[in-house]
Amino acid sequence: MDQLSSVLPSNFALLKESEQLVLVVDLEHSSNESEVFYYVQRECDRLFFLTGEQLNPKLLRIEDAGKRHLFKNRGFITSGFERLQDDIDRQQWTHKLTLQLRLWQLAHLPDLPVSVQIVLLFQIIEAEFPDTKEYPPFYESDKVPHARTEAKLIRNWVSHQGEVRKQLLRYCKYLEIEPGFFDPTDVRHCRKIPMLLEKVKQEAEGIIDAAMTKKMT
């Protein structure tokens, strides 16, 4: 519990209440539930990224005229937080990172179609690299594309239908599949898609990992 507390904001605390851990958020001024929940949710999303523990915080009660909010979650008593790396520190937040972590969490919800997972994960990459010039062109189908460009081509492949443009035609040739977009009824496509999902996931994961605040060594 001490390790978990040390990576949360200084105004967050974990208390034991009726055999469960309760997350307490203390504020200088009275705030409504939605404002406080924004800060709680982003910490839960970060913990999910770091540990794989899915958290679903629920408001338990509000005290001290709106200055203290208490949240409950069974996830707070699991052993998963033992997987927190020792070098993780309190996070220096940006709105972009808050968005990226939420997209990461959404992409890992159960029973999502793989095409939806890829789109959500690529949005993490796109938030980091919004300029199309940051995706090197893919000119030769017999050479490995740049990882970021490949992630974009995979996203395009699963999220569109209709006319296939030149770079995607080359990528289909690179994958050794017929020119066209992702067809979930095609067994060859279904065999390829787990590997392609993993490529997009690795690129998105690297972006978020680089944004994690870590202790100085």
Side-chain angles (χ1 to χ4, degrees):
M1 191 167 80
D2 290 342
Q3 185 184 11
L4 178 56
S5 297
S6 71
V7 304
L8 293 172
S10 58
N11 64 323
F12 282 42
L14 289 169
L15 301 177
K16 202 157 194 178
E17 187 176 277
S18 301
E19 298 305 314
Q20 71 170 346
L21 287 181
V22 174
L23 178 65
V24 181
V25 182
D26 286 310
L27 306 160
E28 292 183 3
H29 307 287
S30 177
S31 297
N32 61 45
E33 179 185 349
S34 60
E35 290 175 324
V36 178
F37 189 80
Y38 171 85
Y39 299 109
V40 172
Q41 184 65 67
R42 72 181 185 181
E43 292 294 339
C44 289
D45 287 344
R46 183 173 72 116
L47 289 171
F48 170 67
F49 176 79
L50 292 169
T51 69
E53 286 291 317
Q54 281 277 17
L55 300 177
N56 186 25
K58 301 290 185 184
L59 182 68
L60 185 61
R61 63 181 181 273
I62 299 175
E63 300 176 348
D64 195 16
K67 294 182 182 179
R68 168 170 280 207
H69 291 64
L70 293 88
F71 293 82
K72 63 178 180 178
N73 190 315
R74 289 184 180 179
F76 290 131
I77 62 173
T78 66
S79 61
F81 297 117
E82 295 173 2
R83 295 193 292 271
L84 272 172
Q85 297 176 9
D86 292 337
D87 62 345
I88 296 298
D89 206 347
R90 290 187 169 115
Q91 185 63 39
Q92 299 296 313
W93 285 101
T94 64
H95 178 68
K96 180 175 68 175
L97 179 59
T98 302
L99 169 64
Q100 289 170 321
L101 284 167
R102 181 98 286 250
L103 290 167
W104 179 269
Q105 193 274 341
L106 292 173
H108 289 81
L109 291 175
D111 302 322
L112 278 185
V114 67
S115 57
V116 176
Q117 288 181 279
I118 288 172
V119 169
L120 289 167
L121 290 168
F122 183 73
Q123 286 180 13
I124 295 169
I125 302 168
E126 203 167 28
E128 192 72 21
F129 301 100
D131 192 334
T132 56
K133 295 177 182 177
E134 296 175 293
Y135 300 82
F138 180 50
Y139 289 123
E140 300 177 66
S141 60
D142 60 344
K143 293 185 179 179
V144 178
H146 186 282
R148 195 157 59 240
T149 300
E150 184 168 20
K152 185 175 183 178
L153 290 168
I154 294 167
R155 188 282 307 267
N156 291 347
W157 185 59
V158 302
S159 60
H160 299 295
Q161 293 294 331
E163 181 184 357
V164 183
R165 297 186 178 181
K166 289 182 180 179
Q167 288 198 64
L168 193 54
L169 284 171
R170 294 188 196 106
Y171 189 60
C172 288
K173 186 176 181 181
Y174 172 78
L175 292 177
E176 299 180 339
I177 58 175
E178 292 295 319
F181 291 100
F182 174 58
D183 179 355
T185 69
D186 189 323
V187 67
R188 293 165 299 178
H189 289 192
C190 293
R191 287 172 182 161
K192 292 278 186 185
I193 202 70
M195 175 263 294
L196 299 179
L197 169 63
E198 189 60 28
K199 288 187 175 188
V200 181
K201 182 178 177 180
Q202 286 178 1
E203 195 70 12
E205 185 175 15
I207 288 169
I208 295 178
D209 184 67
M212 291 292 100
T213 302
K214 298 184 179 179
K215 296 172 183 175
M216 299 294 291
T217 56

